[in-house]
Amino acid sequence: MIFTKQVISESYWKVSIDNPPVNVFDPEFSVQLRDLMDQLEANEQLKVVVFESANPDFYVAHAELVNIFEFPKGEGKTGLSKSWPDVAKRLEQAPFVSIASIRGRARGLGSEFIQAFDMRFASKEKAVFAQPEIGIGSFPGGGGLERLHLLTGKARALEIILSGDDYDADTAAAYGWINRAFTDKELDAFVDNLARRIASFDLKIIQKIKATMNARAVLPKNEHIMETQVAFFASLTEPEARTRIKALLEQGLQTYGDVELNLAKYL
Amino acid sequence: MIFTKQVISESYWKVSIDNPPVNVFDPEFSVQLRDLMDQLEANEQLKVVVFESANPDFYVAHAELVNIFEFPKGEGKTGLSKSWPDVAKRLEQAPFVSIASIRGRARGLGSEFIQAFDMRFASKEKAVFAQPEIGIGSFPGGGGLERLHLLTGKARALEIILSGDDYDADTAAAYGWINRAFTDKELDAFVDNLARRIASFDLKIIQKIKATMNARAVLPKNEHIMETQVAFFASLTEPEARTRIKALLEQGLQTYGDVELNLAKYL
Amino acid sequence: MIFTKQVISESYWKVSIDNPPVNVFDPEFSVQLRDLMDQLEANEQLKVVVFESANPDFYVAHAELVNIFEFPKGEGKTGLSKSWPDVAKRLEQAPFVSIASIRGRARGLGSEFIQAFDMRFASKEKAVFAQPEIGIGSFPGGGGLERLHLLTGKARALEIILSGDDYDADTAAAYGWINRAFTDKELDAFVDNLARRIASFDLKIIQKIKATMNARAVLPKNEHIMETQVAFFASLTEPEARTRIKALLEQGLQTYGDVELNLAKYL
């Protein structure tokens, strides 16, 4: 089980992510995430869900690169396919509130994963953010080109995506990538208090607020993300990307070690 | 008189807000505010107006909840009705510059009040911001769902509105809710200097800058705010909201005391 | 030569700006900038270009005001005219990445110049930003009314443009005017490292990222900037502007001295 559900109450669930050794987002992660979404949506009393990592060094490392062509893909026009962009859209449109509480690395698809949540809070000491795809001869294919600039503005999104570099939680908060950074000691209490507050309020009102905000704000378009996703998978078949990925895998990508801990310097 | 006007010069006015005990935005506030807008618009030499509170603990506490159904309401299609969304639109489109200088609590409609100004500056020690409507079984009905995300982005607007919690001036500045936070000692000098600078410039140019900016930037749509306002008033007739409001009033809402000072913990 | 090109490598160029005494953006600057753009676009291997100033006190002071009516102007509909708005659009759409590394004053057209780059980094001690046009009886005519609010939001853009005041790098970073501020000692190493990283990545991917981001994000419309530019030039023929400009020139504008160093207090 990659996702372990903790039922704090009928209306407040916590989900712990555990996919050793570094929490890669692999085809199995994708399949189980969709099943989890089915469960979340089926709980009609659910008001708020918090996603944490079981691994303090890795929130979600990035997309798994060996079997990446086996990821569930779909047309995504209906919002009901198995592919990640549709799951992200389901989170955005969900009748419950989703919160990412981040320790460890959230890079690539891991960063795009958290961008799909309603809110993001992170540990100043332990969280690391990056869109490192340029370093493997590609670009963000799971929403980063569509969602990140809505959080950070275009100039900072270009900096993040073109540098492929690591960002700490303070810089991520200054850029709007996350809502706020807290000391590692404060993070859990803040997030738990916020989730309990939300869970104490009226379900219909929570749904009205999310629905109205989604109707007022600029949302990323799934057809854009699907279009970018197709180009992303195509880019991975190019010699440039194959060479870069092979070199990183040989150095230790996807295993617990210095390449994953300090990816930015290996790109 | 809720609004006391101080004529610094023909082109620079200050307005002090005083509606004891906690500066609630009540039907009388609404009527007098519209009259004040008439005066501001009638002064064709006016370049800048600063709104302050006479009460250091409360800027504008929130909408008055006992007689809330007596608020002036209107169709708002013409921008000339008596309702708050139209007054807010008049501030946005005004030929003069409006500045909120904030000490004390600006919650609910008080927060939506300041969002309608061209700029917002606040005291680090004394200002408190919140959209606490969720705590009375409702949601922001005076523009908060339409304007706040334009200032803070969607993720932070959702956090603010779904938590109903209090925010200090530093966090409000980091989120873009206000332009900048100053120490209480520095605030008045900064705002007065800024207003005097603006008042020293050419009136036609000030008007050209505001008009062009309003033509270029994304503005909230009054029909959206009106639609949300109708739903807001409807939500207050629900048993959930009636129960929550009644409990708060019995504990001391709208009187000077701990409930108003620390509203977030009572919701 | 106003622009001196340093070829770090085929794919990474640096450009130093030197137009003594204070780096005004004058008609000759405009002509040479267009020639430089031709060179940059002609280098099909170029991945990244960094613009610095040869003068630590002035990045680009502002538009030259004596001969301002001799600036190259054009219709700009095709994106190929000689006028600044079209050069700015060429930078935005360029197949390479443009970075402004800022020491000294970037005011007026100097501020609009940096807004056209993909990214902006600045020295905490030495950079100063302003849109001082209101102080000469005019308004930003080179994109400031169209681009700045996309970086800072409307409220902060109005504050900047209506105050005409100077802003330090920390405030500019907090407002989003620049990506980030660094201590003067750190700035060069950060920018050089970022440029070398980008230059180490695949050219086609860099182009794909910029093109996709430009297709997803909100971009300023050149017809709006052209419209504002026409009104800007017209405003300079008004008696109010002529008087204000004449007074500033007599006090020492466009020479190295206190008026240029501390312009905000002379407006």
Side-chain angles (χ1 to χ4, degrees), chain B residues 9 11-12 47-48 194-202 206, chain C residues 162:
Chain B
S9 76
S11 58
Y12 168 20
K47 295 175 182 174
V48 59
L194 174 61
R196 285 179 194 277
R197 276 186 82 82
I198 294 173
S200 75
F201 298 133
D202 189 30
I206 292 167
Chain C
L162 290 166

Side-chain angles (χ1 to χ4, degrees), chain B residues 119 194 197-198 201, chain C residues 131 134 158-167 267:
Chain B
M119 306 170 202
L194 174 61
R197 276 186 82 82
I198 294 173
F201 298 133
Chain C
Q131 295 286 162
I134 196 170
L158 276 176
E159 178 201 329
I160 292 163
I161 295 171
L162 290 166
S163 75
D165 217 341
D166 282 346
Y167 289 74
L267 295 178

Side-chain angles (χ1 to χ4, degrees), chain A residues 126-138:
Chain A
K126 295 196 178 152
V128 175
F129 303 88
Q131 295 287 163
E133 294 85 350
I134 196 170
I136 57 158
S138 188

Side-chain angles (χ1 to χ4, degrees), chain B:
Chain B
M1 289 285 289
I2 295 174
F3 303 102
T4 305
K5 197 177 73 192
Q6 190 187 348
V7 177
I8 313 288
S9 76
E10 193 178 38
S11 58
Y12 168 20
W13 287 4
K14 263 191 192 176
V15 174
S16 177
I17 309 166
D18 194 18
N19 196 18
V22 294
N23 277 5
V24 289
F25 193 130
D26 57 19
E28 185 58 26
F29 185 112
S30 188
V31 170
Q32 290 193 27
L33 178 60
R34 190 190 31 137
D35 292 343
L36 176 65
M37 277 303 298
D38 292 342
Q39 287 181 56
L40 295 169
E41 288 171 355
N43 176 359
E44 293 186 1
Q45 301 310 312
L46 188 65
K47 295 175 182 174
V48 59
V49 58
V50 173
F51 277 68
E52 299 175 332
S53 172
N55 182 337
D57 290 327
F58 295 93
Y59 190 76
V60 172
H62 50 72
E64 203 274 292
L65 288 164
V66 180
N67 302 305
I68 194 161
F69 296 103
E70 291 167 29
F71 268 68
K73 291 185 277 289
E75 299 207 346
K77 298 281 162 64
T78 62
L80 291 168
S81 82
K82 296 180 190 176
S83 76
W84 158 246
D86 278 338
V87 174
K89 186 56 78 176
R90 285 166 73 183
L91 270 172
E92 174 191 286
Q93 299 291 328
F96 53 82
V97 178
S98 57
I99 301 176
S101 179
I102 305 152
R103 282 191 178 84
R105 285 129 190 99
R107 295 195 186 106
L109 189 51
S111 162
E112 292 166 307
F113 179 66
I114 62 160
Q115 290 169 40
F117 285 72
D118 290 323
M119 306 170 202
R120 287 152 290 284
F121 303 96
S123 159
K124 282 172 188 270
E125 296 92 334
K126 295 197 179 151
V128 175
F129 303 89
Q131 295 287 164
E133 293 86 348
I134 196 169
I136 58 158
S138 188
F139 44 83
L145 279 164
E146 287 73 19
R147 267 192 192 92
L148 187 57
H149 73 91
L150 295 174
L151 295 169
T152 66
K154 181 187 142 183
R156 286 161 170 173
L158 277 176
E159 178 200 330
I160 292 162
I161 296 171
L162 289 167
S163 73
D165 216 341
D166 282 347
Y167 288 75
D168 62 23
D170 280 325
T171 308
Y175 278 22
W177 202 342
I178 60 173
N179 287 44
R180 250 189 287 178
F182 291 95
T183 62
D184 198 69
K185 208 177 152 179
E186 295 172 315
L187 178 65
D188 291 335
F190 174 84
V191 171
D192 189 58
N193 177 57
L194 174 61
R196 285 179 194 277
R197 276 186 82 82
I198 294 173
S200 75
F201 298 133
D202 189 30
L203 179 62
K204 283 197 317 293
I205 297 296
I206 292 167
Q207 294 173 354
K208 170 74 179 170
I209 289 168
K210 266 199 67 169
T212 307
M213 188 65 82
N214 280 334
R216 302 295 184 248
V218 175
L219 303 181
K221 291 191 176 136
N222 247 25
E223 63 257 37
H224 286 163
I225 300 177
M226 289 293 175
E227 187 186 297
T228 305
Q229 194 194 54
V230 169
F232 167 80
F233 282 116
S235 76
L236 296 184
T237 64
E238 297 285 323
E240 173 87 17
R242 286 171 176 270
T243 308
R244 287 181 181 256
I245 293 170
K246 191 156 169 279
L248 286 167
L249 287 168
E250 282 169 3
Q251 288 177 90
L253 197 72
Q254 297 183 188
T255 62
Y256 188 99
D258 198 57
V259 172
E260 284 290 353
L261 290 168
N262 299 300
L263 183 61
K265 74 176 184 199
Y266 291 87
L267 295 178

